[in-house]
Amino acid sequence: MTVSREVELKGHIIDSGMMQSCFGIIMDMGGSFEVEEFRIGRSKTEESYARLLVEADDPDQLQSIVHELHQNGANPSDPNDARLEPAPADQVVPKGFYSTTNHPTDIRIDGMWVPVEDIEMDCAVIVERDDDGHPYAYTEVLNAIEEGDMVVTGEAGIRVQPPERPRGSEGAFGFMQGGVSSERPSETTISNIAEAIAETKAEGGDVLAVCGPALIHSGAREDLARLVREGYVDLLSIGNGFAVHDLERDLYGTSLGMDTESLDHPRKGHKHHIYTISEIIRAGGIEQAIEDGLVDSGVMYECVQNDVPYVIAGSIRDDGPLPETITDAVEAQNAIREQAHQADLVLMLSTLLHSVAVGNCLPSTTKTVCVDINPATVTQLLDRGSAQAVGMVTDIGTFVPMLAEHLFDER
Amino acid sequence: MTVSREVELKGHIIDSGMMQSCFGIIMDMGGSFEVEEFRIGRSKTEESYARLLVEADDPDQLQSIVHELHQNGANPSDPNDARLEPAPADQVVPKGFYSTTNHPTDIRIDGMWVPVEDIEMDCAVIVERDDDGHPYAYTEVLNAIEEGDMVVTGEAGIRVQPPERPRGSEGAFGFMQGGVSSERPSETTISNIAEAIAETKAEGGDVLAVCGPALIHSGAREDLARLVREGYVDLLSIGNGFAVHDLERDLYGTSLGMDTESLDHPRKGHKHHIYTISEIIRAGGIEQAIEDGLVDSGVMYECVQNDVPYVIAGSIRDDGPLPETITDAVEAQNAIREQAHQADLVLMLSTLLHSVAVGNCLPSTTKTVCVDINPATVTQLLDRGSAQAVGMVTDIGTFVPMLAEHLFDER
Amino acid sequence: MTVSREVELKGHIIDSGMMQSCFGIIMDMGGSFEVEEFRIGRSKTEESYARLLVEADDPDQLQSIVHELHQNGANPSDPNDARLEPAPADQVVPKGFYSTTNHPTDIRIDGMWVPVEDIEMDCAVIVERDDDGHPYAYTEVLNAIEEGDMVVTGEAGIRVQPPERPRGSEGAFGFMQGGVSSERPSETTISNIAEAIAETKAEGGDVLAVCGPALIHSGAREDLARLVREGYVDLLSIGNGFAVHDLERDLYGTSLGMDTESLDHPRKGHKHHIYTISEIIRAGGIEQAIEDGLVDSGVMYECVQNDVPYVIAGSIRDDGPLPETITDAVEAQNAIREQAHQADLVLMLSTLLHSVAVGNCLPSTTKTVCVDINPATVTQLLDRGSAQAVGMVTDIGTFVPMLAEHLFDER
Amino acid sequence: MTVSREVELKGHIIDSGMMQSCFGIIMDMGGSFEVEEFRIGRSKTEESYARLLVEADDPDQLQSIVHELHQNGANPSDPNDARLEPAPADQVVPKGFYSTTNHPTDIRIDGMWVPVEDIEMDCAVIVERDDDGHPYAYTEVLNAIEEGDMVVTGEAGIRVQPPERPRGSEGAFGFMQGGVSSERPSETTISNIAEAIAETKAEGGDVLAVCGPALIHSGAREDLARLVREGYVDLLSIGNGFAVHDLERDLYGTSLGMDTESLDHPRKGHKHHIYTISEIIRAGGIEQAIEDGLVDSGVMYECVQNDVPYVIAGSIRDDGPLPETITDAVEAQNAIREQAHQADLVLMLSTLLHSVAVGNCLPSTTKTVCVDINPATVTQLLDRGSAQAVGMVTDIGTFVPMLAEHLFDER
């Protein structure tokens, strides 16, 4: 017995890689297909369209294939409304709930396609109605589901739209399509990233910097502080270690004096680290320490002085931690999520843990720049289906100064 | 003006590297010294001894040098009692508090040397007296300091003893002294690690396994589960991701069937991941899911069945998380600390985050084995002054099966 | 002005990624296209076919686009014969010569499509005629071109056919399509590689092992020697270092005795290294040393005893070198080329230099397995358009023993 | 039976790590020792001295220990003249020949200590006499030994002197003693390296740059060319790939135009690569191409224009190769050796193969700077006992521009 179903691909079906993926899925999973219609958009603004008849040997196989196609942006050409079921208890989803991708997604309700707000991956989709009875949909992480929430289940009435990848000629992000490489011209790549940041700022967008402690160790602190001061960083996402190291430079930099110049006496490091934490706790926190004049330079200082909101997310390897550090992981995720949803461009600078946490909350349409000296880290961060992600394998200690130079020269 | 002070080195002053460090410190910091006495232990059981007269140009410089020497195990030959000061408030240490190393440490009180219990680095030392008025000392992390705790300050009356490094001929840990290498014979190294584990178990010691999710991805789950079942793992320290992947194999392994055999359909991965979390939450937790018969294989299953205590420490990149995951970082650290203090041998398997967290709580005398495919991770984990740490750059997916083979063959 | 040209895609146009590449090229380079015909092969044996009308703004742009399409397997639908021009001097090609890819390629001569023999990338194509006047074509590296050789120039009459990538269900090489990963089940992957080797041998094919010295350091020597002895390795490609280390184990293994067992006395290594070279030179070479009974174990020994041809290619970091080492790079490349063309499956084991040298000479249709502990090495080796390449990031010291175990168990 | 022998340590016995190594060797190898005399140099110019009585259980063990001590700089206090034996044939050394370390070494002949010229590791030492009958000694690689050469054998009459490591306060190379780190301030480290180069030039020394092709890919070509032009590079050691990429930028940079600016059309790369080789062969070589005006920019161009000698060493992965490439490995090593012996400071920039080849020929006293983005490469290059080696894990594409900036600013 051969069973079949018609599916449609719409939009940037070539540029997004959607068509190639869909053909591959069908053949990998043992199905076959006929191309019933195939129209290529003749210009960048015209959409492409393809209609395939997918065939399989039995209904189960067909359903598996259609499921995978659906994840990759192909939709049945005969949609029904999405099916909604109430959550049976707090944190418990109905069986068969739809788990999101990070691509823009619409839900069909009352015959209309309603966009899902704040799309991010691995969430449930909740549908509510406003006072006028109009439906709206949004994502919810598992631990925030409440009993009775109307959760989308199954796959009917759900439309996923993988975004196109930018072409070389279009804007600052067109410059790097092949993902990561350590064999690209470093300075040109950095200047392109600077341009993308400037562009984002010019359009009124928000830049989120996600930073690891290596940034401080490698001597990039002053340049990052300047980027904050000059308005190129709108949001900061860090861990306890980053903040401690930044503050330690302030508190013990002067007394050590030659340290950052001469690299002398590195042995003293860990003592100052724990003394710094102790002094900040004694002062009552970072903001209090700045207000008291105890701390008067660095990244944290510039954030406080320039009203740049920061999230210090705790982890099990923290010393201290500092009073402002959010020690509960779920609470920290919620703070990170809010930043991620606000950001238009995200710089992931030398931190795998925090970058993954932020990346988990990003839609595939947010511009992302990943910088790390470890190629495996960059690859892992880029490998999330984002259409607008560029990665650079370089030294954060030379990257940030060069980026700053390009940004300040450009003005 | 030349000022000077006499310091003593006792114990394994050559094997531990103490003498070389001390000579280097004095010269790096601009001082000079005379060796007043120098006795080498003629046998392994006899201690060595050196007495140096350290000279500097002024008292400040002398104090800096003596401070550094002290951190490395050299002690003034004319000790006074340690100075104690009360903590002025909760979480606030007295100024100038002594921050610990991870080496065995004694505190001089009432003219006696009292060992510091549960030594770990970057802590304060608290001194109390028991009902008989006898003093005892223990470490406390900054966030657990309570107002009025008597905290050791300054450097007088503190004795640090870096442990010796084992020699080639002594026991299973003598085999690898040069630290990390990817150019050692892999099978022989694994068999030596197996021997060290067997030795620890034979002596009634406890083995703590710290495991990352790559262990599951790489196919080592069944062998680790067997190690738990057969009593080679006494304590398990993991993150939410490890537990989810382990449970996912149980819940969706059967339905996917050929997956682990044929490597088919990897695309489905993330769906099962989030479904697994959802199912475990629905069941009320891991233990309930096992009790209900929902889960009946794997590492978590064997831990529950064999009363092997586990700590699931949360992080900001977790999905879910599972009900048993400790989401608060400080609470999780306390649970980890307890395991770390109990352990006699620690296996750090493919996780940087959790290994650092555990390593932070370990004394330098605990045997440690670090295994990771990234040489930078192994180097970072070994670089903590532990005398008994061996590192191996290898594939966790081949390491665990070979380790299991050696352990089960040996019996 | 809009100019256009019709191109055709034939064969595995989806599975090979050809169609996706071609669409992308046209759009990247500023052209547009219409799909005039599009037929999907309904079964694995039926070919697919697409005919595109490519459009550009001027003839230069059109030619650039068609050039790139051609490199990726799309051919003008109105072919002419290839253009041939004589080489003006030894080692000098005619201007505009066609530089090959590593994909199967045909040249149109006398209206017929003639396959290019021994295809490899970055070569010229020479056309000659046999005694009956029938044309044949083959690749030639630049340094071997002779004055008067008839060299293919331009792009007319050349047909490139990128091979399809295997699907999951087809044979041993279907198992790993996504390239490299350190997060696959290691043992299963190794067993699949063993199966691919067994399959190649069963079909009468030849296995070429390209090995670096880390294989010896990591303790895999005995297992590789056994693979040679048992007929699983038909050709060996190595450097001077590999051979020296293999022989050193034989010559100094016995006297050191416990070395490979106890890992004792690693300091002696470099002395034995240079003594080994000296002893082999004294004996008159490896084969003479084996004949004399000086060497009676190891990989080189098994090669000589079992008539497995080996190439020892010299490099500038060699000590000695050994008498059998080919010190001239061009001469060594020719020896490597011959092995590469004979091989049906190539194992690249822990050597970047030799693997690249062999890889340069391989057609894209030869099965290739790359194993290294450095992910960047594996990525670089796989990134050559081969359709049948699998990479594994693992420890060669555990890989070879496990591979041997699977192969010997399978019989 | 206990046997013993007196050995002496002289010179920088602490700073060089000699004493620590020697104590460790004796204990590792099962011996024991007494310190008979121990004098610490009171100032930097005063030497230290120690005399040990080494004891072992039998003469064989004692000899093994003394051998290892000798390799590390300890010498019997009762020296005899070195033993000389004639080489029995070309390339064949006498049995028991002394294989060199890379440390300064003296040979005792006629009761006098004669320094070994051009010390490098893994060589034989040949002794000859000049016309006045005065002895002199020099190293010779195995493949250059000639029948009848008088070769030093055994260990008597040989004195090895490991150099001291510089302290923080002494000159530009004092800045980095702990070897490699990716967590040092990058800009400060680069400025220290610039200072060391400037210092070397100010003292009339020669700088040898050893460069890999990644330097060109990463966009650092123009800055390196300027360093050559301005006299900061006196010698260049490269491979065929570096030269081809440098020339390709010249030949095809103009026609591609936007390439280095916009990063467009990376696909064309390999065509230009092979075309470049073809054009240079057609011109008759690099120098001819420059003389003809075909090439007028880049690193090779500046070398030719400024009489900076270069060595292009061939390898088995080369395309072409270019006419100036030395394809024979032994001949290339000899050219490299000559450069290495002339150099006072060596920059190893992003190439493992060529850096190892150069490093093999360097005495331990030559200043060496290793820069690579792969930490394992930097570690391997530093791990050769050099006292004056600093390593930096960074991006060559940002390193060279910053280095140039510091050097040109400093004047």
Side-chain angles (χ1 to χ4, degrees), chain C residues 5 8 25 38 43 61 101 126 130 142 176 184 220 235 257 296 321 328 333 370 380:
Chain C
R5 189 153 180 202
E8 290 177 325
I25 287 163
F38 189 26
S43 63
Q61 188 190 19
T101 69
I126 310 292
D130 65 16
L142 293 199
M176 219 154 103
R184 289 168 196 278
L235 301 155
D296 62 2
D328 185 75
Q333 281 180 339
C370 309
Q380 184 178 341

Side-chain angles (χ1 to χ4, degrees), chain B residues 251-366:
Chain B
L251 290 177
Y252 294 93
T254 320
S255 58
L256 277 186
M258 297 173 299
D259 186 57
T260 50
E261 299 292 312
S262 69
L263 311 182
D264 269 358
H265 308 312
R267 283 192 190 84
K268 290 259 186 179
H270 78 282
K271 282 286 171 185
H272 289 149
H273 178 79
I274 204 78
Y275 286 168
T276 298
I277 294 167
S278 167
E279 290 308 303
I280 299 295
I281 292 174
R282 193 189 315 282
I286 298 171
E287 309 214 358
Q288 196 61 47
I290 290 169
E291 199 170 295
D292 294 353
L294 183 65
V295 169
D296 61 4
S297 75
V299 179
M300 301 314 300
Y301 173 83
E302 296 296 346
C303 283
V304 170
Q305 295 301 97
N306 296 281
D307 291 325
V308 169
Y310 56 86
V311 170
I312 310 181
S315 96
I316 53 172
R317 65 181 153 193
D318 293 345
D319 287 309
L322 296 169
E324 274 91 346
T325 299
I326 305 173
T327 59
D328 185 74
V330 172
E331 203 183 314
Q333 281 180 337
N334 290 337
I336 286 169
R337 173 165 293 115
E338 206 175 311
Q339 289 193 322
H341 290 169
Q342 186 185 333
D344 297 287
L345 186 151
V346 180
L347 300 171
M348 297 176 170
L349 306 177
S350 276
T351 166
L352 181 58
L353 176 62
H354 293 269
S355 297
V356 169
V358 170
N360 283 345
C361 304
L362 290 177
S364 65
T365 46
T366 302

Side-chain angles (χ1 to χ4, degrees), chain B residues 17-31:
Chain B
M18 193 199 301
M19 190 183 62
Q20 173 82 356
S21 305
C22 288
F23 287 2
I25 286 163
I26 298 170
M27 297 175 80
D28 277 358
M29 296 180 73

Side-chain angles (χ1 to χ4, degrees), chain B residues 13-17 19-20 23-25 27-28 32-35 38 40 42 44 55 167-168 177 375-376, chain D residues 13-17 19-20 23-25 27-28 32-35 38 40 42 44 55 167-168 177 375-376:
Chain B
I13 68 178
I14 294 162
D15 281 14
S16 66
M19 190 183 62
Q20 173 82 356
F23 287 2
I25 286 163
M27 297 175 80
D28 277 358
S32 62
F33 63 98
E34 266 178 273
V35 179
F38 188 25
I40 303 293
R42 297 297 301 268
K44 288 303 298 177
E55 297 166 332
R167 293 286 157 192
Q177 304 157 43
Chain D
I13 68 177
I14 295 163
D15 280 17
S16 66
M19 190 183 62
Q20 174 80 356
F23 287 3
I25 286 163
M27 297 173 79
D28 277 359
S32 61
F33 64 99
E34 264 178 273
V35 179
F38 189 25
I40 302 292
R42 298 296 301 265
K44 287 304 298 177
E55 298 166 330
R167 292 286 157 192
Q177 304 156 42

Side-chain angles (χ1 to χ4, degrees), chain B residues 39 55 85 119-120 151 191 286 318 327 380:
Chain B
R39 284 199 316 268
E55 297 166 332
E85 287 192 31
I119 189 72
E120 65 175 82
V151 178
S191 96
I286 298 171
D318 293 345
T327 59
Q380 184 178 342

